[in-house]
Amino acid sequence: MSVKSNRLSAEEYLQNFEDIHPPFDSYDAAAIEANRCLFCYDAPCMKSCPTSIDIPKFIRQITTENLKGSAHTILSSNIMGAGCSKVCPVEKLCEGACVYNFLGETPIHIARLQRFSTEKAMENQWKLFERKKSNGHKVAVVGAGPAGLSCAHSLSREGIDVTVFEKESSGGGLMTYGIAAYKVTPEFCEDEVNYITSIGGIDIQYNKALGRDFSVSDLSEKYDAVFIGIGVGMARHLEIPGEHLEGVVDAIKFIYDIRTQEFSATPVGDKVAVIGMGMTAIDAATQAKRLGAQEVTIIYRRTQDEMPCTEHELNIAKLDGCHIVWLAAPKEIKGENGIVTQLVCDKMALGVPDSSGRRSPKPTGETFTIHVDMVIKATGQMPYEALISQNSLGHKNGKVTIGNDLKTSMKGVFAGGDCVNGGKEVVDAVQAGKDGAEAILKYLANLS
């Protein structure tokens, strides 16, 4: 067993990482699907969308060949509607709420229809929004991820001059650096960022990191308001013996490496264990298999009924040949000469529900051991607690505390997205950015 890169041919990498959700190949194909929609009154699909896209409206616009209007309807509510159409867990959001589910029929393929309209807008560079004349107000946004970009676009539309500070060399945040490459490509993410900023009035300063190149106080002195949308950091520690061994990697770092270099350059083991069952765990497991790992085992301490990922995501892992071990938790990682060789796990049993409503897993006293050369940690992400504290922002366990108006403990400083909630979906971050922009506009109006 060994951890190494360049396991497959160039053709195999391309095949393994091609688009997992192929788009409609023609207007006729999209129109046939759109015409299945019942255009429900008080549509449950719309209620299930965190950004409240008027789904029946944009689908009806497709049926009347009004693709520009359809794209405008989507992007007015969710400026990252194109990206969200690829990465949203629609099975538990809009498509999961479709009335066809209750009729024993396949739900409307809302995500594919949304992708069809929004990609046409990006391909044709449709100018769907007019920016108001600059009113002299300046706002700083920290983070060019979904929350930051959504906030920046909403503010710019109202004539605010926005400067976005991004620690990476490209925008998009989680979309660009933290999601499986077969769902969305870096090239698409770049196109989406460029489309969002094409409205004007948004200047993104790349390779500028909070805490290294500037502080929140620095921005407060130069700008009328500040929005913090820095997301969250690396995976939580397992807090077990052997976690320091070579071959134990962070899922976020593993996915980041895949996203920022050639597939062949990312090392992967022969026998890989992934700890966790969220979307990030599934992305890490499936990509490890697609990079050439012979065996990938996903370890989860609860049962399928409690898993945080969707059944659709789980099926992707199963189809890729990943093995699932339920009711198991890592106890110890063993190694030889400083390199991982074994993962010892506790067998678990479910007890009473915990604070999240899920039944708490308890060790049974039995253990089992699997031979591995790589362990990927994907048990949730940690907030940037030190960075938040360093910048004198009020927080709880590293998550920025805000009021109903998204104000932080610092005057004129607002926050939203994963740095506040600890980590949700991309679409939730987009809505947080919209809410932040609305709060900032009210704040600036009171300054005038």
Side-chain angles (χ1 to χ4, degrees):
M1 295 192 296
S2 64
V3 177
K4 60 183 181 181
S5 57
N6 199 28
R7 289 179 172 272
L8 306 175
S9 68
E11 292 76 16
E12 287 173 317
Y13 283 121
L14 288 176
Q15 181 178 354
N16 288 353
F17 287 92
E18 66 183 359
D19 194 339
I20 198 171
H21 301 300
F24 289 113
D25 57 5
S26 68
Y27 169 75
D28 287 345
I32 290 171
E33 181 63 20
N35 276 296
R36 289 182 59 228
C37 184
L38 300 176
F39 309 113
C40 302
Y41 173 76
D42 202 23
C45 57
M46 183 175 174
K47 290 182 178 179
S48 296
C49 175
T51 57
S52 300
I53 294 172
D54 192 335
I55 295 169
K57 180 180 179 180
F58 95 70
I59 293 179
R60 187 180 292 278
Q61 288 170 313
I62 291 176
T63 67
T64 60
E65 300 187 47
N66 183 9
L67 294 185
K68 186 173 288 189
S70 177
H72 183 269
T73 297
I74 296 164
L75 298 175
S76 292
S77 294
N78 182 348
I79 193 58
M80 297 193 78
C84 285
S85 72
K86 294 169 177 273
V87 305
C88 262
V90 292
E91 302 81 16
K92 64 180 183 181
L93 296 174
C94 57
E95 292 184 19
C98 179
V99 295
Y100 272 126
N101 290 295
F102 306 103
L103 300 175
E105 299 281 347
T106 302
I108 302 298
H109 293 144
I110 297 169
R112 290 183 73 193
L113 291 170
Q114 180 169 311
R115 177 177 177 178
F116 185 75
S117 293
T118 53
E119 287 193 348
K120 290 295 182 185
M122 290 172 57
E123 289 169 9
N124 294 289
Q125 287 296 300
W126 289 336
K127 300 297 182 183
L128 301 177
F129 305 99
E130 287 292 331
R131 181 175 187 259
K132 292 181 181 179
K133 183 179 179 181
S134 179
N135 57 26
H137 282 303
K138 298 189 302 179
V139 172
V141 172
V142 185
L149 290 171
S150 174
C151 182
H153 189 270
S154 296
L155 290 172
S156 182
R157 284 173 62 180
E158 297 302 317
I160 308 294
D161 294 322
V162 183
T163 302
V164 183
F165 297 89
E166 169 56 47
K167 68 176 182 179
E168 300 290 350
S169 58
S170 298
L174 178 68
M175 288 285 295
T176 301
Y177 295 103
I179 291 176
Y182 54 75
K183 294 179 180 177
V184 57
T185 66
E187 293 77 18
F188 171 85
C189 292
E190 182 178 5
D191 289 344
E192 186 169 43
V193 171
N194 290 338
Y195 187 71
I196 291 169
T197 57
S198 66
I199 191 173
I202 303 173
D203 175 31
I204 303 181
Q205 299 286 316
Y206 291 111
N207 301 306
K208 298 292 184 182
L210 177 64
R212 184 190 68 197
D213 301 302
F214 60 89
S215 67
V216 175
S217 295
D218 293 336
L219 299 181
S220 294
E221 293 177 2
K222 299 176 183 177
Y223 294 88
D224 299 315
V226 179
F227 179 79
I228 308 295
I230 58 174
V232 285
M234 292 295 150
R236 296 184 184 280
H237 297 304
L238 300 175
E239 305 293 350
I240 61 174
E243 191 171 2
H244 64 284
L245 290 170
E246 183 180 339
V248 180
V249 300
D250 182 290
I252 302 300
K253 178 64 165 58
F254 179 66
I255 295 172
Y256 179 94
D257 289 344
I258 296 172
R259 302 284 294 181
T260 55
Q261 58 192 16
E262 295 291 331
F263 297 132
S264 60
T266 303
V268 69
D270 285 321
K271 296 185 176 182
V272 179
V274 178
I275 313 301
M277 190 54 81
M279 297 296 196
T280 299
I282 296 294
D283 281 358
T286 53
Q287 288 188 114
K289 201 74 170 66
R290 292 172 185 228
L291 286 171
Q294 294 179 7
E295 297 179 14
V296 175
T297 304
I298 304 176
I299 307 292
Y300 183 53
R301 59 182 181 157
R302 292 184 168 93
T303 72
Q304 184 170 345
D305 290 338
E306 292 81 28
M307 67 181 185
C309 74
T310 65
E311 186 173 352
H312 174 75
E313 293 288 325
L314 178 64
N315 287 338
I316 292 174
K318 287 180 177 179
L319 288 170
D320 277 0
C322 298
H323 178 55
I324 316 296
V325 179
W326 306 103
L327 291 172
K331 180 181 179 69
E332 181 182 2
I333 302 172
K334 294 183 177 181
E336 296 178 3
N337 301 317
I339 302 173
V340 171
T341 57
Q342 294 179 327
L343 175 65
V344 181
C345 295
D346 280 315
K347 292 184 178 180
M348 310 296 282
L350 294 181
V352 297
D354 61 15
S355 59
S356 69
R358 295 181 295 176
R359 295 169 63 193
S360 302
K362 306 285 185 182
T364 63
E366 295 183 72
T367 64
F368 65 92
T369 300
I370 59 176
H371 295 278
V372 296
D373 52 17
M374 189 175 194
V375 176
I376 302 178
K377 302 182 292 183
T379 55
Q381 292 172 255
M382 297 183 294
Y384 294 111
E385 185 169 357
L387 182 61
I388 297 301
S389 297
Q390 175 188 333
N391 281 274
S392 303
L393 290 168
H395 67 90
K396 183 177 182 180
N397 299 322
K399 293 187 287 187
V400 180
T401 53
I402 58 172
N404 292 333
D405 53 6
L406 274 70
K407 288 181 180 177
T408 69
S409 57
M410 295 180 66
K411 182 180 178 181
V413 179
F414 302 75
D418 288 356
C419 67
V420 170
N421 59 44
K424 289 188 176 182
E425 307 297 343
V426 170
V427 67
D428 293 292
V430 173
Q431 183 59 41
K434 287 168 55 183
D435 293 341
E438 182 179 356
I440 289 171
L441 289 170
K442 290 179 180 177
Y443 172 77
L444 295 178
N446 290 330
L447 291 181
S448 302

